[in-house]
Amino acid sequence: MMERIVIVGAGAMGCLFAARLALAGKRVTVVDVDRKRLAAIGLEGIILEDDHGRHHAKVEAQLAAEVAGPVDLLMLFTKGMHSAAAIRSVDHLVATGCPVLTLQNGLGNVECIAEVFPLDRILWGVTDFPADLHDANQVKSHGQGHIFLGDFPKGAGDKAMAIAALLSSAGLDSEADPDVSIAVWEKVAFNAALNALCTVSGLPVGGLDCVAGRRCADAVIDEIAQVANAEGVSVDRARLAAKVDFALANHTSHKPSMLQDRIAGRPTEIESINGAVLNAAGRGAVATPALQILTDLVRLGEKGR
């Protein structure tokens, strides 16, 4: 039975998962470096607003060094550029024997985890649950989502099925997928195209629903599909096209997190998404001119470059 859950990263997704699991009766601890946010969560819990109303979830909040076992599941929900430091901050939890799950965007997160935790305890996957953080401890999530998760790099054994069942019991619809690398790469392709295009243009997702926007997105996704194939991952190009069509038609006013970071003057996840694909393209000698230009345009807007 998984009763004690530790979530590293108290952003929108971390708070959403923490709230849902706590409301399902689990003991949940969120870990972050933001003392103000931790203080608000520790004092008031997490306020979740979803399609069923407004909920108050009692959640523990601690700095990494304060967290002690037992721990039944560790989840990593920081942005990709913080993964290495975040997982090192909880390296003392290796002794608990807990599995570690990442549903983060981009590539390279599992490799950071593998520098600290044994490979046979690492799981990875993707989620498309919507989440927007308001104030220090309030998260909004309207609409449905799904989670695909599995063992790293392949498989979906007992741990994956148990974690999928745990998340589903908390209203986080999940599926253990023995070849979850396909879902990971398909989300990377989607994010690398749409998130970066929105960041460069300043437009919400619906602003890409034009000839120029679709042409740019298609070119980037086509290249990433080739990179994935070179990495031994057979992405479904038709499914990717359908996801783009759905997003352009239904998420018209949505501003991706990369664009939100740009507007707020924060560093973006460009290196752990687009940059990571370019690194893979180099390994496989796959030409990616459209992806390279789009990535460099986002990089030009990063502070300090």
Side-chain angles (χ1 to χ4, degrees):
M1 296 294 292
M2 294 186 176
E3 297 296 332
R4 174 85 191 286
I5 318 298
V6 173
I7 296 177
V8 181
M13 293 303 295
C15 282
L16 171 62
F17 276 65
R20 288 278 177 87
L21 287 163
L23 290 168
K26 305 303 178 182
R27 180 188 171 193
V28 182
T29 302
V30 293
V31 173
D32 207 274
V33 296
D34 188 332
R35 291 175 181 269
K36 181 180 178 181
R37 179 164 298 166
L38 292 178
I41 294 173
L43 181 64
E44 304 172 356
I46 295 174
I47 310 302
L48 169 63
E49 180 184 308
D50 60 20
D51 295 337
H52 303 289
R54 187 176 174 88
H55 318 274
H56 181 275
K58 184 178 180 181
V59 175
E60 299 174 5
Q62 296 179 328
L63 295 170
E66 299 170 340
V67 181
V71 176
D72 298 312
L73 173 64
L74 178 66
M75 300 183 71
L76 188 60
F77 264 126
T78 64
K79 291 187 176 179
M81 61 277 220
H82 303 309
S83 291
I87 201 66
R88 285 197 302 269
S89 74
V90 290
D91 60 3
H92 57 287
L93 298 182
V94 172
T96 68
C98 67
V100 187
L101 170 65
T102 169
L103 300 176
Q104 298 162 279
N105 286 334
L107 301 171
N109 299 301
V110 284
E111 287 79 3
C112 291
I113 297 172
E115 293 181 0
V116 177
F117 283 79
L119 274 175
D120 62 359
R121 283 158 53 188
I122 300 174
L123 301 101
W124 64 329
V126 295
T127 178
D128 59 1
F129 273 95
D132 293 297
L133 194 65
H134 296 265
D135 298 323
N137 64 328
Q138 299 185 40
V139 63
K140 295 183 179 181
S141 180
H142 293 286
Q144 299 301 310
H146 193 78
I147 299 162
F148 293 97
L149 64 92
D151 302 328
F152 177 76
K154 280 190 175 184
D158 291 344
K159 284 194 296 288
M161 289 188 286
I163 294 170
L166 166 74
L167 296 173
S168 293
S169 71
L172 295 160
D173 188 34
S174 302
E175 179 180 340
D177 183 350
D179 201 3
V180 74
S181 61
I182 294 174
V184 170
W185 270 92
E186 287 182 359
K187 187 172 184 185
V188 166
F190 179 92
N191 285 344
L194 269 60
N195 291 15
L197 284 169
C198 288
T199 301
V200 169
S201 66
L203 296 170
V205 171
L208 304 180
D209 191 11
C210 59
V211 173
R214 285 179 174 272
R215 182 165 54 233
C216 291
D218 284 345
V220 171
I221 288 173
D222 283 343
E223 291 178 359
I224 296 177
Q226 294 175 40
V227 176
N229 288 337
E231 292 281 297
V233 181
S234 301
V235 301
D236 188 325
R237 186 62 182 85
R239 184 165 56 216
L240 266 172
K243 289 180 179 179
V244 170
D245 288 342
F246 182 86
L248 297 186
N250 294 277
H251 301 164
T252 56
S253 61
H254 175 62
K255 293 181 179 180
S257 59
M258 191 179 289
L259 173 56
Q260 293 181 43
D261 286 339
R262 172 56 50 82
I263 293 170
R266 298 185 296 261
T268 71
E269 291 184 282
I270 191 65
E271 298 305 336
S272 56
I273 301 177
N274 299 51
V277 177
L278 288 173
N279 290 338
R283 291 194 299 269
V286 179
T288 53
L291 176 65
Q292 183 71 68
I293 291 173
L294 178 59
T295 305
D296 284 343
L297 287 172
V298 177
R299 285 168 170 165
L300 285 171
E302 296 284 275
K303 286 188 176 182
R305 290 190 178 277

